[in-house]
Amino acid sequence: MSDTLVIKVGTSSLTRSDGRLALATIAALIETIVDLRAQGYQIVLVSSGAVGVGAARLGMTERPKTIALKQAAAAVGQGIIMRVYDDLFREHQQPVAQILLTRGDLDRRSSYINAYNTFQELFRLGVMPIVNENDTVAVDELKFGDNDTLSARVASLIDADWLFLLTDVDRLYSADPRKFPDAQPIFQIDRIEDLTALQVQTGGKGSEWGTGGMETKIAAAAIATGAGVKTAITHGQFPQYIERILHGEPLGTQFTPQLRAANARKRWIAHGLIAVGKIYLDAGAVAAISTGGKSLLPAGIARIEGEFEATDAVQLCDASGKEIARGIVNYSSSELDRIQGHRSTDIIDLLGYLGEETVVHRDNLVLS
């Protein structure tokens, strides 16, 4: 079976300082993608730039601040970007498809499966998907927030082998090399936690027109490697580096993947859902879940944090706040306030109705 690659290209790579498209860079990226497809790779391109390109077309001199103006600029820019991609890929007889996603599309199990099936059918048809966040309609609670996160979740969704994050530096450094000439390059990360020991300063967002930065790329790498996807950060102006990395060259910063969950539903829980609350467990519940493969019962809950509804995803944490698992909860936060610390047999008396015996069933729970 062919390896599947997700390539995310950021606004800083796609556009010039005035917000207009960097056509030479885009053409080089497309040539690289076409070459890789000819070698048998399946590829998904996650493309930023809609807001910046739309703002430039509308004569704006800075990134729009209000949600409505951002969405209007995205509506203008998305069509421009797709036209450019379609024109350039057509020169290579490569059909493309546009897929616009919001976080809600991957939070809901039914639409998550539908999205997976759409990607697989496009691969079967020889069509290359081009993905972006649906900025024109997404509200804050349904946004990924940046396309680095979106690309990592897409990589998890389609069981990709590699995620490439193309940016405006050649690799991760201990600090911004444009400001600190003595910043040290980082070539390999085996665990995301190692970045703390290396004292990496991630800084803020990248370009004037973009929403990402190195911090979001590291967060994306954590999501992707947690889903078993090899990840690399490399320079967007040299897309040919992708092929060289695939051939084993130590270019960019490469992140070692973790073991991938075999069960598709558990992969969705672990990497397709956003946790909206925390449940802190006592020592007995931590041990039962961590080593015993048990469900979470109300008696094992020490306290809860956040507001959530039944069927939302939550983090399960030990007393120190370290996440040990995450799962889909059977009760809302207000209901858990009343039953936490009690036996399951007390639920009907405490709530006035008979609910589930478990707070999080082991089938809906994934260890972190």
Side-chain angles (χ1 to χ4, degrees):
M1 183 178 176
S2 301
D3 279 1
T4 301
L5 318 178
V6 175
I7 300 173
K8 184 267 175 179
V9 58
T11 300
S12 62
S13 300
L14 284 173
T15 61
R16 296 154 48 171
S17 59
D18 59 3
R20 291 186 296 167
L21 286 170
L23 294 176
T25 300
I26 296 172
L29 172 63
I30 288 173
E31 288 186 6
T32 295
I33 290 173
V34 169
D35 287 344
L36 290 170
R37 282 187 54 81
Q39 296 173 44
Y41 291 100
Q42 295 182 149
I43 298 176
V44 173
L45 177 62
V46 177
S47 175
S48 300
V51 174
V53 170
R57 172 60 63 89
L58 294 170
M60 301 178 188
T61 57
E62 61 180 7
R63 185 177 177 85
K65 300 293 193 295
T66 67
I67 292 176
L69 196 54
K70 287 178 185 176
Q71 291 177 328
V76 173
Q78 192 62 43
I80 297 172
I81 290 175
M82 280 306 300
R83 188 186 72 239
V84 170
Y85 280 135
D86 189 53
D87 287 346
L88 293 175
F89 273 111
R90 189 185 300 131
E91 294 297 317
H92 300 277
Q93 290 77 52
Q94 174 59 59
V96 298
Q98 181 182 52
I99 297 180
L100 299 176
L101 295 171
T102 67
R103 201 187 81 192
D105 296 324
L106 301 188
D107 280 353
R108 294 186 299 272
R109 180 65 177 161
S110 60
S111 56
Y112 181 91
I113 293 171
N114 287 341
Y116 174 83
N117 290 337
T118 297
F119 279 107
Q120 297 308 311
E121 191 67 12
L122 289 171
F123 290 150
R124 187 187 68 81
L125 292 169
V127 177
M128 201 195 73
I130 299 177
V131 179
N132 195 3
E133 182 158 18
N134 196 352
D135 289 312
T136 60
V137 298
V139 292
D140 281 347
E141 61 268 24
L142 292 179
K143 288 181 70 68
F144 294 98
D146 59 84
N147 275 356
D148 295 319
T149 300
L150 170 60
S151 67
R153 296 198 178 278
V154 168
S156 172
L157 166 69
I158 64 174
D159 298 337
D161 298 279
W162 276 94
L163 169 63
F164 291 94
L165 300 169
L166 306 188
T167 186
D168 54 0
V169 293
D170 56 347
R171 60 178 55 88
L172 180 65
Y173 287 80
S174 58
D176 188 338
R178 295 165 295 192
K179 298 179 181 178
F180 302 95
D182 59 346
Q184 296 301 304
I186 299 171
F187 298 95
Q188 181 74 36
I189 297 293
D190 292 322
R191 299 183 312 143
I192 296 296
E193 294 82 359
D194 294 341
L195 291 170
T196 301
L198 292 169
Q199 298 182 324
V200 173
Q201 300 174 26
T202 57
K205 73 172 189 175
S207 70
E208 177 185 355
W209 297 100
T211 57
M214 201 53 73
E215 184 174 2
T216 66
K217 287 167 182 58
I218 292 170
I223 294 169
T225 55
V229 181
K230 291 172 281 190
T231 302
I233 295 173
T234 188
H235 207 304
Q237 289 190 353
F238 305 100
Q240 61 271 24
Y241 285 1
I242 295 173
E243 185 171 358
R244 293 171 62 181
I245 290 171
L246 290 170
H247 290 164
E249 291 192 39
L251 297 172
T253 299
Q254 300 183 31
F255 296 78
T256 303
Q258 309 304 308
L259 290 176
R260 189 191 305 246
N263 182 286
R265 179 176 174 82
K266 293 211 170 187
R267 283 201 302 271
W268 168 65
I269 293 170
H271 309 294
L273 295 177
I274 304 294
V276 295
K278 291 184 177 181
I279 298 177
Y280 291 83
L281 314 182
D282 63 26
V286 170
I289 289 171
S290 299
T291 60
K294 303 294 186 181
S295 302
L296 174 62
L297 302 176
I301 300 176
R303 65 185 177 93
I304 63 171
E305 182 179 299
E307 296 183 3
F308 48 85
E309 299 298 326
T311 74
D312 279 344
V314 296
Q315 295 173 283
L316 305 182
C317 304
D318 62 16
S320 71
K322 178 184 178 182
E323 179 183 317
I324 63 163
R326 64 176 55 198
I328 299 174
V329 69
N330 290 326
Y331 291 95
S332 68
S333 52
S334 60
E335 290 170 323
L336 289 183
D337 273 334
R338 295 153 66 185
I339 66 173
Q340 64 179 3
H342 292 274
R343 296 176 300 173
S344 298
T345 53
D346 297 332
I347 290 176
I348 189 169
D349 294 328
L350 293 167
L351 296 182
Y353 51 85
L354 182 61
E356 297 288 338
E357 178 182 359
T358 61
V359 174
V360 180
H361 192 275
R362 63 185 181 184
D363 291 344
N364 290 327
L365 185 152
V366 182
L367 295 178
S368 300

